[in-house]
Amino acid sequence: MYNRLPRHIILLFSILICGSSIAQTPARKPDKIFKIDRTIMEVLIEEVNKTDIAYKKISDPKGPLYAVPKKEVWKIVWNNGEVEEINSPAPASTKARKPTDLIVSKQKMEGKFWDKSGLYAGAGIGAGLSFTPESAGLVTGSESAYGGGVTVGFHKKALGVQIQALYTQVGYGVSVPTDEVISIKGTQSQLLLPLTFMASQKAGPVRIGVSLGAFGVMQVGAGGLKIRQTNGSATVKNCGTCSDKSFGFGVTGGIGVTILEGPRHAVFINADWYHNLGKNKDYRPGETSVNTHLGLLSAGVLFHFPGQH
């Protein structure tokens, strides 16, 4: 009796059953690799060794192996939900900065006045004392002095050179010629033109600078003499027609402190000494100009020229 199926039919059924079983096998879920730079990779991890993580692409599970260094990986999230941390996460500062952040950072890093280079100009006022050298007809001592003017200079960071035009009014004493006069006090307006070289150094919240140079000086405008007599009266004699308004010269030096400093301005306080090298000869009251030494304490502000950086 032929009650059995032919062998080739049985083989065909077997192939169909196996193919159906393979088709019903679910695909492997991907694993996730979280990198320190905050990027995420969905892959099929094959191996984790001491230095690398080997994986295959989801789109090509039977393809070649790829690897990512473990030092670049923050953590692995396996397809079953288990989390394995490899390295600490990247700090927040490693995030990409926005354009506005870059602008703010650039403004914060912008150098101060003396950290830059370029032309500058400014103005200042001051007060101090004038000192009359020992001379025939004059009293050795000190009198009040005032000054103010403008400055133009060039600096390359902490080193610079500048020229000033300072209008000053100085006082001096005249030897009393007779018993009828108690004192004679003179005043003289003059123009100082100092040329100085400077260097400065940051010192905590301020900047300290030193200057050294030379100056020229000449009497300008009208001076005057205030004569006090023994009877209590006082007279003033102008010296607008002094016959010897000579041009003098001297050396100068000083120290300054920059108390406020921005990218384009600097507020300073200076203490300067002007040592006149001229001599006073044959002083004639009301007719002769006077050479004096001068010490000034001044304050002012400097600005970079437009377009200077």
Side-chain angles (χ1 to χ4, degrees), residues 69-137:
K70 290 180 72 174
K71 64 183 181 181
E72 298 179 6
V73 176
W74 167 20
K75 65 181 178 179
I76 297 172
V77 178
W78 297 94
N79 55 32
N80 61 359
E82 183 180 346
V83 178
E84 181 178 348
E85 185 169 321
I86 306 299
N87 294 295
S88 299
S93 60
T94 60
K95 292 182 179 179
R97 293 186 295 179
K98 299 178 182 178
T100 52
D101 296 333
L102 296 175
I103 294 172
V104 172
S105 298
K106 183 178 180 180
Q107 290 175 345
K108 289 182 179 179
M109 294 175 63
E110 190 173 9
K112 299 293 187 180
F113 186 94
W114 294 114
D115 295 325
K116 300 182 176 183
S117 300
L119 292 169
Y120 64 88
I125 57 174
L129 295 174
S130 64
F131 297 83
T132 306
E134 185 175 355
S135 175

Side-chain angles (χ1 to χ4, degrees), residues 214-218 246-251 275-279 291-292:
F215 69 90
V217 58
M218 64 178 297
S246 60
F247 185 82
F249 61 93
V251 293
H275 193 86
N276 200 309
L277 298 178
K279 295 182 179 180
N291 293 313
T292 62

Side-chain angles (χ1 to χ4, degrees), residues 3-308:
N3 55 358
R4 295 183 180 180
L5 293 174
R7 288 184 177 182
H8 65 277
I9 296 176
I10 294 174
L11 180 60
L12 180 59
F13 277 126
S14 298
I15 292 173
L16 291 173
I17 292 171
C18 290
S20 176
S21 175
I22 292 173
Q24 293 175 5
T25 301
R28 176 181 166 185
K29 293 182 179 180
D31 307 302
K32 292 182 179 180
I33 298 176
F34 289 76
K35 298 182 71 175
I36 290 178
D37 63 4
R38 303 288 176 169
T39 59
I40 302 173
M41 303 170 58
E42 289 194 354
V43 297
L44 302 175
I45 297 177
E46 298 293 330
E47 180 185 356
V48 178
N49 56 41
K50 292 183 178 180
T51 59
D52 301 298
I53 299 173
Y55 65 89
K56 291 186 177 182
K57 294 181 179 180
I58 298 175
S59 59
D60 190 10
K62 294 184 179 181
L65 279 175
Y66 298 89
V68 58
K70 290 180 72 174
K71 64 183 181 181
E72 298 179 6
V73 176
W74 167 20
K75 65 181 178 179
I76 297 172
V77 178
W78 297 94
N79 55 32
N80 61 359
E82 183 180 346
V83 178
E84 181 178 348
E85 185 169 321
I86 306 299
N87 294 295
S88 299
S93 60
T94 60
K95 292 182 179 179
R97 293 186 295 179
K98 299 178 182 178
T100 52
D101 296 333
L102 296 175
I103 294 172
V104 172
S105 298
K106 183 178 180 180
Q107 290 175 345
K108 289 182 179 179
M109 294 175 63
E110 190 173 9
K112 299 293 187 180
F113 186 94
W114 294 114
D115 295 325
K116 300 182 176 183
S117 300
L119 292 169
Y120 64 88
I125 57 174
L129 295 174
S130 64
F131 297 83
T132 306
E134 185 175 355
S135 175
L138 299 174
V139 176
T140 302
S142 62
E143 299 289 340
S144 60
Y146 308 93
V150 295
T151 302
V152 177
F154 174 83
H155 74 104
K156 190 170 183 63
K157 295 190 176 181
L159 299 176
V161 58
Q162 68 179 22
I163 187 169
Q164 295 172 279
L166 302 178
Y167 179 84
T168 61
Q169 186 178 75
V170 299
Y172 57 92
V174 178
S175 298
V176 179
T178 67
D179 293 336
E180 298 178 355
V181 177
I182 298 175
S183 66
I184 303 177
K185 299 292 184 183
T187 59
Q188 180 174 289
S189 298
Q190 58 188 25
L191 178 65
L192 279 175
L193 298 172
L195 177 67
T196 54
F197 296 89
M198 306 168 302
S200 65
Q201 179 65 45
K202 188 72 174 176
V206 299
R207 180 179 287 272
I208 298 177
V210 294
S211 63
L212 187 65
F215 69 90
V217 58
M218 64 178 297
Q219 184 180 344
V220 294
L225 292 174
K226 189 173 184 179
I227 304 171
R228 291 187 179 276
Q229 299 176 337
T230 55
N231 60 10
S233 63
T235 59
V236 176
K237 181 179 181 181
N238 291 328
C239 185
T241 58
C242 290
S243 59
D244 62 346
K245 292 183 180 180
S246 60
F247 185 82
F249 61 93
V251 293
T252 179
I255 186 169
V257 178
T258 301
I259 56 175
L260 293 174
E261 186 178 359
R264 292 175 177 81
H265 75 279
V267 178
F268 64 86
I269 296 176
N270 283 355
D272 297 298
W273 175 257
Y274 301 89
H275 193 86
N276 200 309
L277 298 178
K279 295 182 179 180
N280 294 311
K281 294 183 178 180
D282 300 326
Y283 175 76
R284 300 185 302 277
E287 298 180 7
T288 307
S289 61
V290 177
N291 293 313
T292 62
H293 306 315
L294 178 62
L296 279 180
L297 183 65
S298 60
V301 61
L302 303 174
F303 296 96
H304 273 296
F305 277 106
Q308 295 292 318

